[in-house]
Amino acid sequence: MDSLIYDKYRQWMARQIEDTRIVNDDLSKSERTREAILAAAARLFRYEGYHATTMRDIAQEAGIEAGSIYYHFQSKDQMLCEVLDLGVRQLYQAVSEIVRSAPTSSEDFRKTFRLLIETHLTYLLTDSDFTSANIRNYPMLSDETRAPHRELRASYADAWGKFLNDAKRAGHLRSDISTAVIRQFILSAMNWTVEWYDVDKYPVRILAERMCKLILDGMCPHRKAGTEGLKLCPATPAKTPDPDGKAAKTRAEILKAAARVLRDNGYKATTLRKIAEEADMKAGSVYYHFNSKEAIVDEVLNAGLRDLLSGVEAAVRKFDAPYDHHARIATAIWAHLDFLFKASEFTSANIRSYGMLPNHFRERHRGIRHEYGKLWDRILREAQDDGAIRSDIKIVPLRQVMLGALNWTVEWFDPNKAGVEGYLSLPEFSSMLINLLLEGICNREAAPSTGQGSPESGCPGQTRRK
């Protein structure tokens, strides 16, 4: 914390706070009301979701009459646009200042990296409802709604890219994986924290410290993780009886259609009409098989978690004690990603919609989520007990950060573009993430990365949604 960059950054932050105070002092009553409305909208979008929030909700949260809100904003869409912009702009300015002032030595690289991580997490988890609202809502918005914000989001990614590219040229980062993939890996690990991190339990600086250790150096105590024993096999969803009869088959098709709609639109925007259209049937016919949208979604979510749990369990059962721990962990990661992208429409629907599910849905599936977490804790703890994972890493935070990095990939990786120049296949992508999680992003003097399906050195990354 004694580095010059920290002092410069703190001075810059102090100037920003003072400038904001001066601006707020000069605001008129109308401008103050407008700011209060925006702040209220950001809080509700963050915790309830854009689609579930009404103008009346925002007015009530802001402490004004419902009709008065239209004096300041024409629509909820206008508010969303400003919330999304502020959510990235504030963070972009802070990160850009850090990158601009960053020195290039190895020691300062690690300090700067830690500061970047802590800054992103602080805005995301504590300081800005705007940033959190952006991260949680953006994936479920239409292309038309996202379009005005792509340039700013790209600029933020470029700020990280500049820092990482400079570090790579200086020899601080590994050379066998593109900085585009490394950047997305880092941002994925951080962004998923909005779904699990309890800021009341641990301060953000503790999370930042632990996350830095994992991202920079990986979980492996050695320079090289041995994953040659990776056991590749197609992920298989949990076995269920084949539908017997026309009604049962139709019911199964409705659930599959609902999973696709939920995955692509989120919970609130998923309607019985959209499900019926996806299933190529009349909306009224859905009621013959299900009483409500909630009943359909409930089964979809449960199937997604059941598939994931049983699939990863089956993958690790292929290993006999004494375990090849790195290969075992790599196999479990591979299976997790296979379910997210290929093996189960229900799993991808669950992961993508989780952030904006009503609390009663989350509660109903908390048990099986906890069971899945316990499975990973056992895998990781057994590896740590045998010295295959560094002893200074705490297992539960490790599992949460690792699964967060994996889960957020559904927002930017597209396996369907495999074969197109500049894009990776799912096996190549999975191997990259395995190497990053086990070995970290820092330069290692060992030979090229291991694991079947590993891409050639310097293979470029990809982004699907910006």
Side-chain angles (χ1 to χ4, degrees):
M1 286 293 183
D2 56 352
S3 174
L4 180 60
I5 184 175
Y6 286 86
D7 294 336
K8 288 183 176 179
Y9 176 66
R10 300 306 179 196
Q11 292 169 9
W12 179 83
M13 284 296 294
R15 291 197 302 271
Q16 296 300 307
I17 294 171
E18 179 63 17
D19 290 346
T20 300
R21 185 190 65 78
I22 293 172
V23 170
N24 288 340
D25 288 345
D26 291 340
L27 291 177
S28 66
K29 180 180 178 181
S30 175
E31 290 170 328
R32 287 177 183 274
T33 301
R34 193 178 191 281
E35 293 294 311
I37 293 170
L38 267 184
R43 285 193 298 275
L44 289 172
F45 293 164
R46 173 182 184 175
Y47 292 109
E48 303 298 330
Y50 166 74
H51 293 296
T53 299
T54 66
M55 293 287 273
R56 184 176 296 275
D57 293 334
I58 296 169
Q60 183 177 354
E61 180 74 13
I64 65 173
E65 294 294 328
S68 302
I69 201 170
Y70 291 97
Y71 175 79
H72 303 276
F73 295 94
Q74 294 179 352
S75 65
K76 188 174 74 166
D77 285 347
Q78 183 188 357
M79 277 186 275
L80 175 67
C81 189
E82 294 199 34
V83 167
L84 292 177
D85 183 83
L86 285 170
V88 176
R89 193 169 300 281
Q90 295 169 343
L91 182 56
Y92 170 60
Q93 290 172 348
V95 164
S96 295
E97 177 66 17
I98 296 171
V99 172
R100 186 186 65 80
S101 305
T104 58
S105 72
S106 177
E107 180 182 357
D108 283 326
F109 160 71
R110 299 180 77 92
K111 290 181 179 180
T112 303
F113 186 82
R114 160 73 183 275
L115 182 56
L116 286 170
I117 293 288
E118 187 172 346
T119 299
H120 185 104
L121 292 175
T122 298
Y123 272 90
L124 185 61
L125 299 174
T126 61
D127 281 12
S128 177
D129 288 329
F130 294 90
T131 301
S132 189
N134 186 303
I135 295 300
R136 300 195 75 194
N137 287 274
Y138 191 82
M140 293 301 176
L141 300 175
S142 67
D143 287 340
E144 181 181 2
T145 304
R146 291 198 297 259
H149 307 282
R150 287 187 176 126
E151 183 176 354
L152 181 58
R153 291 173 73 91
S155 295
Y156 181 65
D158 288 344
W160 273 92
K162 179 185 184 307
F163 172 72
L164 295 172
N165 283 323
D166 289 346
K168 195 171 192 177
R169 282 191 292 269
H172 305 321
L173 294 185
R174 59 192 303 161
S175 61
D176 61 324
I177 297 180
S178 73
T179 52
V181 170
I182 291 175
R183 180 196 69 213
Q184 293 287 47
F185 167 73
I186 295 166
L187 295 179
S188 294
M190 292 192 293
N191 287 344
W192 190 258
T193 60
V194 297
E195 307 302 347
W196 62 268
Y197 193 70
D198 185 355
V199 295
D200 295 326
K201 192 172 183 181
Y202 297 107
V204 171
R205 62 178 178 79
I206 299 297
L207 173 62
E209 180 182 347
R210 291 174 176 172
M211 190 172 285
C212 280
K213 284 183 179 181
L214 175 63
I215 293 174
L216 288 173
D217 301 313
M219 63 179 82
C220 176
H222 313 295
R223 289 184 177 273
K224 196 72 176 171
T227 57
E228 292 82 1
L230 177 68
K231 299 194 177 193
L232 302 181
C233 58
T236 305
K239 290 184 178 180
T240 56
D242 292 333
D244 187 13
K246 182 179 179 181
K249 290 180 180 178
T250 301
R251 193 176 191 279
E253 287 303 315
I254 292 172
L255 286 174
K256 290 180 180 178
R260 293 190 292 271
V261 174
L262 185 64
R263 177 193 64 200
D264 296 335
N265 298 275
Y267 171 77
K268 188 65 178 181
T270 295
T271 63
L272 284 175
R273 183 174 298 280
K274 285 184 178 179
I275 294 171
E277 289 175 356
E278 181 70 20
D280 195 21
M281 60 190 299
K282 294 182 179 179
S285 302
V286 175
Y287 285 104
Y288 177 79
H289 303 276
F290 296 94
N291 294 329
S292 63
K293 180 185 87 169
E294 285 69 23
I296 300 175
V297 172
D298 203 42
E299 288 203 33
V300 167
L301 297 174
N302 187 65
L305 292 171
R306 185 186 65 239
D307 284 349
L308 188 59
L309 175 60
S310 63
V312 174
E313 278 184 329
V316 297
R317 273 201 304 270
K318 296 180 181 297
F319 291 84
D320 297 320
Y323 299 120
D324 180 348
H325 289 291
H326 293 160
R328 191 179 183 221
I329 293 169
T331 300
I333 292 172
W334 193 289
H336 184 101
L337 288 168
D338 209 19
F339 273 97
L340 280 187
F341 289 104
K342 187 173 67 175
S344 174
E345 294 166 319
F346 300 108
T347 299
S348 58
N350 189 300
I351 297 300
R352 287 210 71 216
S353 64
Y354 179 75
M356 289 302 165
L357 289 175
N359 285 333
H360 65 276
F361 269 117
R362 293 195 187 202
E363 287 299 323
R364 282 210 291 272
H365 301 98
R366 190 177 298 277
I368 191 168
R369 282 183 176 275
H370 181 64
E371 192 175 347
Y372 187 62
K374 285 172 59 179
L375 168 64
W376 271 102
D377 290 349
R378 176 170 59 82
I379 295 169
L380 296 171
R381 188 166 287 110
E382 288 173 350
Q384 191 176 60
D385 289 344
D386 287 346
I389 288 180
R390 286 165 32 207
S391 60
D392 62 323
I393 295 181
K394 294 187 179 297
I395 293 300
V396 173
L398 165 61
R399 179 252 299 170
Q400 290 170 322
V401 171
M402 181 189 70
L403 293 183
L406 299 178
N407 289 342
W408 196 261
T409 59
V410 297
E411 305 302 344
W412 60 274
F413 176 73
D414 188 353
N416 296 320
K417 292 185 177 180
V420 177
E421 185 178 359
Y423 290 87
L424 304 175
S425 67
L426 181 57
E428 290 171 334
F429 181 67
S430 299
S431 290
M432 275 191 170
L433 291 184
I434 287 167
N435 290 332
L436 289 173
L437 285 165
L438 288 174
E439 300 173 358
I441 68 172
C442 284
N443 183 29
R444 288 174 177 261
E445 298 173 1
S449 59
T450 59
Q452 298 182 44
S454 293
E456 295 297 323
S457 176
C459 187
Q462 60 188 357
T463 53
R464 182 175 64 183
R465 296 183 178 88
K466 293 182 179 179

